[in-house]
Amino acid sequence: MSFESLGLEADLVRAVRDQGYNEPTPVQREAIPAVLAGRDLLAGAQTGTGKTAAFALPVLQGLAASSQHGKFRPVRALVLTPTRELAAQVGESFRIYGRHLDLRATVIFGGVGINPQIAALRRGVDVVVATPGRLLDHAGQHTVDLSKVEVLVLDEADRMLDMGFLRDIRRILALLPARRQNLLFSATYAKEIRQLADKLLDNPAQVQVAPRNATAERVDQLVFPLDKRRKREFLSHMIGQRNWRQVLVFTRTKHGANRLAQQLERDGLSATAIHGNKSQGARTRALHGFKNGSVRVLVATDIAARGLDIDQLPHVVNYELPNVPEDYVHRIGRTGRAGREGQAVSLVCAEEHDYLAGIEKLLKRELPREVVAGYEPEAPLARVAANRGRTAGNRPQPGQARRRRGRGRASRAAP
Ligand code: AMP
């Protein structure tokens, strides 16, 4: 199957060829013809599936077909994203895929000066990629006119709702013309997403693709049961001993991410935290360092990591399990590298056993556990093990664990 056969024009096909894409991904195969036909779309697809091109290519083609090259260029396509990083990436994709077309895209997000954005909007742009808050600032100051928008894309809609953007989205919808095409992309379908989709979409084409590493056929998953207070030491030990070079570590909170990155630095590992409280510059630098290898460990919250173009990693670590099981699937979907297996490990303390049970229920399977000598938990993952029989054949006997605790790293292990 080729990009041409989906109905894309030569200029767009050339641009994707320049990127080295040989054939469309599943979400592109299904979404592009539907969007070109002018239909609304409900797409279940997460980062890494090629979803950005799935909407950017047909949107660009639609805009090019009715191009308004006059002096005044109204905003005709609006893409909303939850995070600045995702907005920047999506904006960049529009620029790359649209390089042979006479169309302009700009990116609008908070945390950076507003004046360059105002200047870009004043010059006239066809596509705006924005986070909701800053877009509303512009609307409030009348520096953006959304009354000519023909296509609206909600990218990672589930995450936008998680981040509390529903009210902002509603306020933005009120600024758009009633007649328009609506595309909604979401990795998950909670009730709120269905409600939003019902309200927003008119007889949508529906596309559902599995995450690229659909619950981990290619991802080797492992649970390390251990005590909470020993997690940091264990992580440093594993990274060093197994010589992991590029590790994405997930924590639940921003504060936890900062603290862990600092502690890892003290352990001699180059580590940086990435989360919503960091300035745009700091986040970009951290991501850059991680990609080029100068930062060995990137510690991230789910929200900060979502939408980042950092996948195909060899190692993902759940330092803390997410309380939403779907987030686990998103996290581990980052691993797996060009056909090789990736590894996703979870450091799980007794307090997290309910989260683990929820994840295993979603995956419909039990994750293998490995207790590492010297790190046996004082409090085993009781309920999970009890519920599921003796899954952890390698779970140490209480006596064994106690004996081992008395040795070696005992100074930290003393109760
Ligand atoms: P996305 O899901 O939009 O975040 O895309 C994930 C990655 O896949 C990006 O780095 C894209 O450049 C890449 N990509 C998108 N479409 C294709 C394709 N058809 N073939 C190969 N790579 C692609």
Side-chain angles (χ1 to χ4, degrees):
M1 161 108 32
S2 67
F3 283 100
E4 287 92 341
S5 67
L6 300 178
L8 289 173
E9 303 284 350
D11 286 337
L12 288 162
V13 174
R14 186 145 59 101
V16 298
R17 289 269 152 71
D18 295 345
Q19 290 306 296
Y21 305 172
N22 296 319
E23 58 171 27
T25 65
V27 66
Q28 292 163 2
R29 249 175 266 159
E30 295 193 47
I32 290 173
V35 179
L36 286 176
R39 291 191 65 181
D40 279 5
L41 177 75
L42 176 61
Q46 69 174 82
T47 300
T49 54
K51 70 180 167 65
T52 312
F55 63 78
L57 293 170
V59 165
L60 284 165
Q61 179 152 322
L63 295 177
S66 57
S67 206
Q68 308 195 349
H69 295 234
K71 206 158 158 248
F72 176 65
R73 259 179 211 251
V75 178
R76 289 186 295 145
L78 173 64
V79 183
L80 296 180
T81 74
T83 64
R84 305 161 192 180
E85 282 85 1
L86 186 60
Q89 280 169 25
V90 170
E92 184 59 18
S93 297
F94 269 95
R95 274 189 285 272
I96 290 171
Y97 302 142
R99 64 174 14 138
H100 304 302
L101 303 173
D102 179 23
L103 293 170
R104 292 189 212 142
T106 200
V107 179
I108 302 282
F109 52 70
V112 295
I114 198 165
N115 289 331
Q117 298 175 354
I118 293 174
L121 289 166
R122 203 173 282 150
R123 280 194 296 276
V125 289
D126 303 279
V127 181
V128 166
V129 182
T131 53
R134 178 57 72 87
L135 184 67
L136 283 169
D137 290 345
H138 281 282
Q141 297 182 31
H142 302 289
T143 49
V144 70
D145 176 6
L146 299 175
S147 68
K148 302 286 187 298
V149 168
E150 296 165 13
V151 191
L152 169 73
V153 182
L154 298 185
D155 193 12
E156 304 203 350
D158 49 349
R159 192 52 47 151
M160 284 200 274
L161 298 196
D162 286 352
M163 290 172 72
F165 283 139
L166 184 58
R167 276 188 59 190
D168 284 353
I169 291 173
R170 288 215 183 101
R171 289 172 59 205
I172 292 167
L173 292 179
L175 302 172
L176 306 180
R179 253 183 69 92
R180 54 168 202 269
Q181 187 178 15
N182 299 292
L183 318 178
L184 189 153
F185 285 75
S186 182
T188 56
Y189 286 117
K191 196 171 110 214
E192 294 74 19
I193 286 288
R194 290 218 182 81
Q195 285 168 346
L196 180 65
D198 283 348
K199 249 192 67 187
L200 191 69
L201 306 177
D202 178 20
N203 184 28
Q206 301 205 20
V207 173
Q208 176 68 49
V209 297
R212 192 167 51 194
N213 297 311
T215 65
E217 293 320 319
R218 279 171 42 211
V219 181
D220 176 23
Q221 300 171 72
L222 194 56
V223 168
F224 289 109
L226 81 169
D227 290 333
K228 191 172 176 179
R229 66 200 161 79
R230 302 201 64 197
K231 282 187 176 185
R232 199 269 309 141
E233 177 198 350
F234 179 80
L235 178 61
S236 292
H237 170 74
M238 291 296 280
I239 292 172
Q241 194 212 28
R242 305 203 176 181
N243 198 22
W244 292 348
R245 307 307 310 180
Q246 197 181 33
V247 193
L248 178 62
V249 178
F250 284 96
T251 61
R252 272 211 303 273
T253 64
K254 298 172 193 175
H255 180 63
N258 275 340
R259 203 175 41 201
L260 180 61
Q262 284 163 8
Q263 289 169 333
L264 293 174
E265 280 280 336
R266 260 181 252 133
D267 291 342
L269 298 165
S270 57
T272 306
I274 187 164
H275 55 66
N277 286 1
K278 293 248 166 169
S279 74
Q280 185 56 31
R283 291 204 268 177
T284 307
R285 272 196 304 281
L287 187 60
H288 186 69
F290 188 58
K291 283 182 167 177
N292 73 19
S294 61
V295 172
R296 187 167 173 184
V297 189
L298 187 66
V299 187
T301 56
D302 288 286
I303 286 174
R306 190 65 187 273
L308 288 186
D309 191 11
I310 39 168
D311 48 10
Q312 311 205 338
L313 292 168
H315 303 288
V316 166
V317 175
N318 297 303
Y319 188 77
E320 289 150 340
L321 286 182
N323 45 13
V324 179
E326 283 81 4
D327 281 346
Y328 174 86
V329 179
H330 295 154
R331 290 177 177 189
I332 69 164
R334 302 279 186 178
T335 70
R337 186 174 242 186
R340 277 198 286 140
E341 281 205 337
Q343 193 181 41
V345 307
S346 301
L347 316 191
V348 184
C349 61
E351 293 86 337
E352 294 170 298
H353 67 224
D354 284 348
Y355 296 157
L356 182 60
I359 289 163
E360 292 184 323
K361 197 167 158 216
L362 177 74
L363 298 178
K364 298 198 180 67
R365 74 184 180 102
E366 198 162 277
L367 299 176
R369 287 135 168 84
E370 182 181 320
V371 175
V372 172
Y375 291 94
E376 298 84 351
E378 279 176 47
L381 293 173
R383 219 186 80 188
V384 176
N387 275 352
R388 293 161 190 271
R390 286 210 156 268
T391 58
N394 47 6
R395 198 153 66 86
Q397 298 305 305
Q400 243 180 330
R402 211 169 294 126
R403 263 203 319 281
R404 286 207 182 119
R405 265 202 312 279
R407 292 206 307 259
R409 299 165 188 276
S411 59
R412 298 189 59 88

mmCIF file with all atom_site columns, all heavy atoms in Angstrom, residues 170-182:
data_model
loop_
_atom_site.group_PDB
_atom_site.id
_atom_site.type_symbol
_atom_site.label_atom_id
_atom_site.label_alt_id
_atom_site.label_comp_id
_atom_site.label_asym_id
_atom_site.label_entity_id
_atom_site.label_seq_id
_atom_site.pdbx_PDB_ins_code
_atom_site.Cartn_x
_atom_site.Cartn_y
_atom_site.Cartn_z
_atom_site.occupancy
_atom_site.B_iso_or_equiv
_atom_site.pdbx_formal_charge
_atom_site.auth_seq_id
_atom_site.auth_comp_id
_atom_site.auth_asym_id
_atom_site.auth_atom_id
_atom_site.pdbx_PDB_model_num
ATOM 1   N N   . ARG A 1 170 ? -13.970 23.744 25.665 1.00 0.00 ? 170 ARG A N   1
ATOM 2   C CA  . ARG A 1 170 ? -15.334 24.243 25.392 1.00 0.00 ? 170 ARG A CA  1
ATOM 3   C C   . ARG A 1 170 ? -15.306 25.715 25.006 1.00 0.00 ? 170 ARG A C   1
ATOM 4   O O   . ARG A 1 170 ? -16.023 26.137 24.097 1.00 0.00 ? 170 ARG A O   1
ATOM 5   C CB  . ARG A 1 170 ? -16.199 24.062 26.645 1.00 0.00 ? 170 ARG A CB  1
ATOM 6   C CG  . ARG A 1 170 ? -16.551 22.628 26.908 1.00 0.00 ? 170 ARG A CG  1
ATOM 7   C CD  . ARG A 1 170 ? -17.965 22.542 27.512 1.00 0.00 ? 170 ARG A CD  1
ATOM 8   N NE  . ARG A 1 170 ? -18.285 21.173 27.834 1.00 0.00 ? 170 ARG A NE  1
ATOM 9   C CZ  . ARG A 1 170 ? -18.212 20.674 29.065 1.00 0.00 ? 170 ARG A CZ  1
ATOM 10  N NH1 . ARG A 1 170 ? -17.864 21.443 30.097 1.00 0.00 ? 170 ARG A NH1 1
ATOM 11  N NH2 . ARG A 1 170 ? -18.505 19.417 29.279 1.00 0.00 ? 170 ARG A NH2 1
ATOM 12  N N   . ARG A 1 171 ? -14.496 26.479 25.696 1.00 0.00 ? 171 ARG A N   1
ATOM 13  C CA  . ARG A 1 171 ? -14.432 27.911 25.379 1.00 0.00 ? 171 ARG A CA  1
ATOM 14  C C   . ARG A 1 171 ? -13.870 28.125 23.981 1.00 0.00 ? 171 ARG A C   1
ATOM 15  O O   . ARG A 1 171 ? -14.295 29.019 23.257 1.00 0.00 ? 171 ARG A O   1
ATOM 16  C CB  . ARG A 1 171 ? -13.575 28.632 26.422 1.00 0.00 ? 171 ARG A CB  1
ATOM 17  C CG  . ARG A 1 171 ? -14.279 28.708 27.783 1.00 0.00 ? 171 ARG A CG  1
ATOM 18  C CD  . ARG A 1 171 ? -13.372 29.244 28.874 1.00 0.00 ? 171 ARG A CD  1
ATOM 19  N NE  . ARG A 1 171 ? -12.878 30.577 28.588 1.00 0.00 ? 171 ARG A NE  1
ATOM 20  C CZ  . ARG A 1 171 ? -11.747 31.072 29.084 1.00 0.00 ? 171 ARG A CZ  1
ATOM 21  N NH1 . ARG A 1 171 ? -10.993 30.335 29.889 1.00 0.00 ? 171 ARG A NH1 1
ATOM 22  N NH2 . ARG A 1 171 ? -11.374 32.288 28.799 1.00 0.00 ? 171 ARG A NH2 1
ATOM 23  N N   . ILE A 1 172 ? -12.909 27.290 23.600 1.00 0.00 ? 172 ILE A N   1
ATOM 24  C CA  . ILE A 1 172 ? -12.347 27.411 22.241 1.00 0.00 ? 172 ILE A CA  1
ATOM 25  C C   . ILE A 1 172 ? -13.392 26.998 21.198 1.00 0.00 ? 172 ILE A C   1
ATOM 26  O O   . ILE A 1 172 ? -13.558 27.674 20.175 1.00 0.00 ? 172 ILE A O   1
ATOM 27  C CB  . ILE A 1 172 ? -11.051 26.571 22.115 1.00 0.00 ? 172 ILE A CB  1
ATOM 28  C CG1 . ILE A 1 172 ? -9.961  27.206 22.983 1.00 0.00 ? 172 ILE A CG1 1
ATOM 29  C CG2 . ILE A 1 172 ? -10.600 26.475 20.654 1.00 0.00 ? 172 ILE A CG2 1
ATOM 30  C CD1 . ILE A 1 172 ? -8.745  26.326 23.210 1.00 0.00 ? 172 ILE A CD1 1
ATOM 31  N N   . LEU A 1 173 ? -14.119 25.910 21.481 1.00 0.00 ? 173 LEU A N   1
ATOM 32  C CA  . LEU A 1 173 ? -15.146 25.455 20.520 1.00 0.00 ? 173 LEU A CA  1
ATOM 33  C C   . LEU A 1 173 ? -16.144 26.569 20.233 1.00 0.00 ? 173 LEU A C   1
ATOM 34  O O   . LEU A 1 173 ? -16.612 26.739 19.105 1.00 0.00 ? 173 LEU A O   1
ATOM 35  C CB  . LEU A 1 173 ? -15.888 24.230 21.071 1.00 0.00 ? 173 LEU A CB  1
ATOM 36  C CG  . LEU A 1 173 ? -15.085 22.936 21.188 1.00 0.00 ? 173 LEU A CG  1
ATOM 37  C CD1 . LEU A 1 173 ? -15.951 21.814 21.770 1.00 0.00 ? 173 LEU A CD1 1
ATOM 38  C CD2 . LEU A 1 173 ? -14.523 22.521 19.841 1.00 0.00 ? 173 LEU A CD2 1
ATOM 39  N N   . ALA A 1 174 ? -16.431 27.352 21.268 1.00 0.00 ? 174 ALA A N   1
ATOM 40  C CA  . ALA A 1 174 ? -17.413 28.435 21.105 1.00 0.00 ? 174 ALA A CA  1
ATOM 41  C C   . ALA A 1 174 ? -16.905 29.519 20.154 1.00 0.00 ? 174 ALA A C   1
ATOM 42  O O   . ALA A 1 174 ? -17.690 30.328 19.660 1.00 0.00 ? 174 ALA A O   1
ATOM 43  C CB  . ALA A 1 174 ? -17.751 29.037 22.472 1.00 0.00 ? 174 ALA A CB  1
ATOM 44  N N   . LEU A 1 175 ? -15.595 29.557 19.916 1.00 0.00 ? 175 LEU A N   1
ATOM 45  C CA  . LEU A 1 175 ? -15.033 30.590 19.033 1.00 0.00 ? 175 LEU A CA  1
ATOM 46  C C   . LEU A 1 175 ? -14.952 30.122 17.578 1.00 0.00 ? 175 LEU A C   1
ATOM 47  O O   . LEU A 1 175 ? -14.557 30.881 16.700 1.00 0.00 ? 175 LEU A O   1
ATOM 48  C CB  . LEU A 1 175 ? -13.616 30.955 19.505 1.00 0.00 ? 175 LEU A CB  1
ATOM 49  C CG  . LEU A 1 175 ? -13.502 31.468 20.944 1.00 0.00 ? 175 LEU A CG  1
ATOM 50  C CD1 . LEU A 1 175 ? -12.037 31.600 21.346 1.00 0.00 ? 175 LEU A CD1 1
ATOM 51  C CD2 . LEU A 1 175 ? -14.219 32.798 21.083 1.00 0.00 ? 175 LEU A CD2 1
ATOM 52  N N   . LEU A 1 176 ? -15.289 28.858 17.343 1.00 0.00 ? 176 LEU A N   1
ATOM 53  C CA  . LEU A 1 176 ? -15.131 28.290 16.003 1.00 0.00 ? 176 LEU A CA  1
ATOM 54  C C   . LEU A 1 176 ? -16.457 28.327 15.247 1.00 0.00 ? 176 LEU A C   1
ATOM 55  O O   . LEU A 1 176 ? -17.525 28.296 15.866 1.00 0.00 ? 176 LEU A O   1
ATOM 56  C CB  . LEU A 1 176 ? -14.662 26.830 16.114 1.00 0.00 ? 176 LEU A CB  1
ATOM 57  C CG  . LEU A 1 176 ? -13.408 26.568 16.932 1.00 0.00 ? 176 LEU A CG  1
ATOM 58  C CD1 . LEU A 1 176 ? -13.079 25.073 16.947 1.00 0.00 ? 176 LEU A CD1 1
ATOM 59  C CD2 . LEU A 1 176 ? -12.224 27.348 16.379 1.00 0.00 ? 176 LEU A CD2 1
ATOM 60  N N   . PRO A 1 177 ? -16.387 28.354 13.929 1.00 0.00 ? 177 PRO A N   1
ATOM 61  C CA  . PRO A 1 177 ? -17.639 28.279 13.171 1.00 0.00 ? 177 PRO A CA  1
ATOM 62  C C   . PRO A 1 177 ? -18.309 26.930 13.405 1.00 0.00 ? 177 PRO A C   1
ATOM 63  O O   . PRO A 1 177 ? -17.623 25.925 13.637 1.00 0.00 ? 177 PRO A O   1
ATOM 64  C CB  . PRO A 1 177 ? -17.192 28.406 11.712 1.00 0.00 ? 177 PRO A CB  1
ATOM 65  C CG  . PRO A 1 177 ? -15.721 28.376 11.702 1.00 0.00 ? 177 PRO A CG  1
ATOM 66  C CD  . PRO A 1 177 ? -15.192 28.439 13.085 1.00 0.00 ? 177 PRO A CD  1
ATOM 67  N N   . ALA A 1 178 ? -19.599 26.895 13.334 1.00 0.00 ? 178 ALA A N   1
ATOM 68  C CA  . ALA A 1 178 ? -20.324 25.649 13.611 1.00 0.00 ? 178 ALA A CA  1
ATOM 69  C C   . ALA A 1 178 ? -20.033 24.598 12.538 1.00 0.00 ? 178 ALA A C   1
ATOM 70  O O   . ALA A 1 178 ? -19.928 23.415 12.830 1.00 0.00 ? 178 ALA A O   1
ATOM 71  C CB  . ALA A 1 178 ? -21.822 25.919 13.692 1.00 0.00 ? 178 ALA A CB  1
ATOM 72  N N   . ARG A 1 179 ? -19.902 25.043 11.305 1.00 0.00 ? 179 ARG A N   1
ATOM 73  C CA  . ARG A 1 179 ? -19.646 24.085 10.223 1.00 0.00 ? 179 ARG A CA  1
ATOM 74  C C   . ARG A 1 179 ? -18.152 23.881 10.061 1.00 0.00 ? 179 ARG A C   1
ATOM 75  O O   . ARG A 1 179 ? -17.434 24.817 9.651  1.00 0.00 ? 179 ARG A O   1
ATOM 76  C CB  . ARG A 1 179 ? -20.214 24.627 8.913  1.00 0.00 ? 179 ARG A CB  1
ATOM 77  C CG  . ARG A 1 179 ? -21.473 23.903 8.466  1.00 0.00 ? 179 ARG A CG  1
ATOM 78  C CD  . ARG A 1 179 ? -21.911 24.481 7.128  1.00 0.00 ? 179 ARG A CD  1
ATOM 79  N NE  . ARG A 1 179 ? -20.958 24.120 6.085  1.00 0.00 ? 179 ARG A NE  1
ATOM 80  C CZ  . ARG A 1 179 ? -21.083 23.036 5.317  1.00 0.00 ? 179 ARG A CZ  1
ATOM 81  N NH1 . ARG A 1 179 ? -22.093 22.226 5.479  1.00 0.00 ? 179 ARG A NH1 1
ATOM 82  N NH2 . ARG A 1 179 ? -20.183 22.765 4.382  1.00 0.00 ? 179 ARG A NH2 1
ATOM 83  N N   . ARG A 1 180 ? -17.695 22.716 10.406 1.00 0.00 ? 180 ARG A N   1
ATOM 84  C CA  . ARG A 1 180 ? -16.262 22.430 10.266 1.00 0.00 ? 180 ARG A CA  1
ATOM 85  C C   . ARG A 1 180 ? -16.069 20.924 10.380 1.00 0.00 ? 180 ARG A C   1
ATOM 86  O O   . ARG A 1 180 ? -16.980 20.204 10.796 1.00 0.00 ? 180 ARG A O   1
ATOM 87  C CB  . ARG A 1 180 ? -15.456 23.149 11.359 1.00 0.00 ? 180 ARG A CB  1
ATOM 88  C CG  . ARG A 1 180 ? -15.955 22.848 12.737 1.00 0.00 ? 180 ARG A CG  1
ATOM 89  C CD  . ARG A 1 180 ? -15.053 23.282 13.861 1.00 0.00 ? 180 ARG A CD  1
ATOM 90  N NE  . ARG A 1 180 ? -15.403 22.485 15.012 1.00 0.00 ? 180 ARG A NE  1
ATOM 91  C CZ  . ARG A 1 180 ? -16.310 22.827 15.926 1.00 0.00 ? 180 ARG A CZ  1
ATOM 92  N NH1 . ARG A 1 180 ? -16.929 23.988 15.864 1.00 0.00 ? 180 ARG A NH1 1
ATOM 93  N NH2 . ARG A 1 180 ? -16.594 22.005 16.912 1.00 0.00 ? 180 ARG A NH2 1
ATOM 94  N N   . GLN A 1 181 ? -14.889 20.483 10.017 1.00 0.00 ? 181 GLN A N   1
ATOM 95  C CA  . GLN A 1 181 ? -14.539 19.068 10.160 1.00 0.00 ? 181 GLN A CA  1
ATOM 96  C C   . GLN A 1 181 ? -13.824 18.886 11.497 1.00 0.00 ? 181 GLN A C   1
ATOM 97  O O   . GLN A 1 181 ? -12.988 19.728 11.869 1.00 0.00 ? 181 GLN A O   1
ATOM 98  C CB  . GLN A 1 181 ? -13.604 18.692 9.008  1.00 0.00 ? 181 GLN A CB  1
ATOM 99  C CG  . GLN A 1 181 ? -13.295 17.209 8.919  1.00 0.00 ? 181 GLN A CG  1
ATOM 100 C CD  . GLN A 1 181 ? -12.388 16.895 7.721  1.00 0.00 ? 181 GLN A CD  1
ATOM 101 O OE1 . GLN A 1 181 ? -11.779 17.792 7.130  1.00 0.00 ? 181 GLN A OE1 1
ATOM 102 N NE2 . GLN A 1 181 ? -12.314 15.626 7.366  1.00 0.00 ? 181 GLN A NE2 1
ATOM 103 N N   . ASN A 1 182 ? -14.147 17.821 12.203 1.00 0.00 ? 182 ASN A N   1
ATOM 104 C CA  . ASN A 1 182 ? -13.555 17.592 13.524 1.00 0.00 ? 182 ASN A CA  1
ATOM 105 C C   . ASN A 1 182 ? -12.853 16.240 13.586 1.00 0.00 ? 182 ASN A C   1
ATOM 106 O O   . ASN A 1 182 ? -13.444 15.221 13.230 1.00 0.00 ? 182 ASN A O   1
ATOM 107 C CB  . ASN A 1 182 ? -14.642 17.597 14.600 1.00 0.00 ? 182 ASN A CB  1
ATOM 108 C CG  . ASN A 1 182 ? -15.352 18.909 14.665 1.00 0.00 ? 182 ASN A CG  1
ATOM 109 O OD1 . ASN A 1 182 ? -14.781 19.920 15.061 1.00 0.00 ? 182 ASN A OD1 1
ATOM 110 N ND2 . ASN A 1 182 ? -16.616 18.916 14.241 1.00 0.00 ? 182 ASN A ND2 1
#
